Amino acid sequence: MLNIVIFGPPGSGKGTQSLKIAEKYNLIHISTGDIFREELANNTTLGQQARGYMDAGNLVPDELVIAMLESKVDKSLALEPAGFIFDGFPRTIMQAEALEKMLQRKNSFIKGVLALEVEDAELIKRIMGRGKDSGRADDVDEKIIKNRIKVYKSETAPVAGFYEMYGKLKIIRGKGSVEDIFKQLCESIDEYQQ
Ligand code: B4P
């Protein structure tokens, strides 16, 4: 299976690029942020548990994320996919380790991690722009957006080092046109498949 992680700070374009990658390579797109937002919209217990963390721009606790992700992967495996693109997961070292173990149990592994690099000022600009019509509580308040970036740097950025240790990390500049960035991402994915 072609399993890829798309990695980067909030607003770096993970969601935008994942949709395009999923379509081109016929992968199942798993966005933990989208799943939580759906749970929230449906007012499920999981959604209620995640709400406070998300609205404040903090991470949802690992136990909740990992259990939810595994159940989503299990359901999707029934469709015999070509692979997965994980978007917004893993966001902590603990999640990265859990993902490795979970895929090992399914005789699979992560082929590569594509990290989008974008400077803070551009991230804030993009997220504030999206906030005008996204309806997301975490997209409108600059203080909350800055907290998301701070949480990314302290809790999520170390995950890049985890994958670098295994030679799986590829850094791609996330500023430029969506199509140019997509082209670079595809070049990396095509290398995994050679
Ligand atoms: P996410 O849903 O993952 O939100 P994100 O990081 O803001 O999204 P992304 O980087 O995908 O941005 P996008 O492409 O949309 O997480 C939200 C919250 O959920 C987290 O804060 C956390 O609380 C919780 N959560 C999720 N996963 C978790 C986990 N694993 N563990 C714990 N908690 C978790 O792009 C943003 C904007 O930029 C868009 O408007 C887009 O149009 C624009 N854009 C994209 N590419 C562009 C480009 N090249 N140029 C200009 N603009 C561009």
Side-chain angles (χ1 to χ4, degrees):
M1 281 205 299
L2 177 62
N3 298 319
I4 296 164
V5 171
I6 188 144
F7 188 83
S12 55
K14 301 184 296 289
T16 306
Q17 297 294 339
S18 295
L19 289 172
K20 294 172 75 68
I21 293 170
E23 192 188 0
K24 174 163 178 180
Y25 294 94
N26 204 16
L27 306 178
I28 291 196
H29 174 213
I30 297 199
S31 155
T32 40
D34 285 353
I35 298 170
F36 282 128
R37 279 186 289 278
E38 203 182 304
E39 298 280 336
L40 252 159
N42 293 327
N43 207 19
T44 64
T45 310
L46 182 59
Q48 286 166 8
Q49 287 168 317
R51 183 193 298 274
Y53 299 102
M54 293 178 78
D55 285 355
N58 292 320
L59 295 183
V60 176
D62 284 335
E63 314 79 67
L64 288 183
V65 187
I66 293 165
M68 183 270 295
L69 182 104
E70 180 145 21
S71 114
K72 193 83 187 169
V73 167
D74 283 342
K75 276 188 202 140
S76 305
L77 278 173
L79 304 169
E80 300 186 357
F84 290 93
I85 176 144
F86 295 101
D87 161 12
F89 182 93
R91 259 176 157 97
T92 62
I93 298 281
M94 193 176 165
Q95 291 181 17
E97 287 169 347
L99 180 62
E100 289 295 308
K101 285 191 198 132
M102 183 197 76
L103 290 175
Q104 257 170 32
R105 286 198 293 276
K106 302 175 196 315
N107 294 319
S108 199
F109 60 95
I110 292 292
K111 271 260 168 79
V113 176
L114 303 168
L116 293 170
E117 215 171 51
V118 179
E119 56 275 20
D120 293 0
E122 171 74 12
L123 298 174
I124 296 170
K125 195 173 107 196
R126 286 185 192 179
I127 299 174
M128 298 281 278
R130 181 174 63 186
K132 290 188 186 121
D133 50 24
S134 71
R136 281 175 56 173
D138 60 343
D139 274 355
V140 280
D141 183 335
E142 193 167 337
K143 246 176 37 207
I144 293 173
I145 298 169
K146 284 189 173 157
N147 184 48
R148 288 165 64 190
I149 296 173
K150 189 173 134 227
V151 168
Y152 168 79
K153 287 180 182 165
S154 60
E155 297 182 51
T156 305
V159 175
F162 174 91
Y163 287 111
E164 194 171 24
M165 213 164 64
Y166 294 103
K168 291 186 178 180
L169 185 74
K170 201 115 201 191
I171 296 171
I172 285 137
R173 177 131 177 83
K175 203 170 165 196
S177 79
V178 168
E179 281 312 318
D180 277 351
I181 298 163
F182 179 57
K183 195 166 152 256
Q184 289 178 59
L185 291 167
C186 291
E187 280 166 10
S188 296
I189 297 171
D190 293 341
E191 278 172 28
Y192 300 145
Q193 291 187 300
Q194 275 162 20

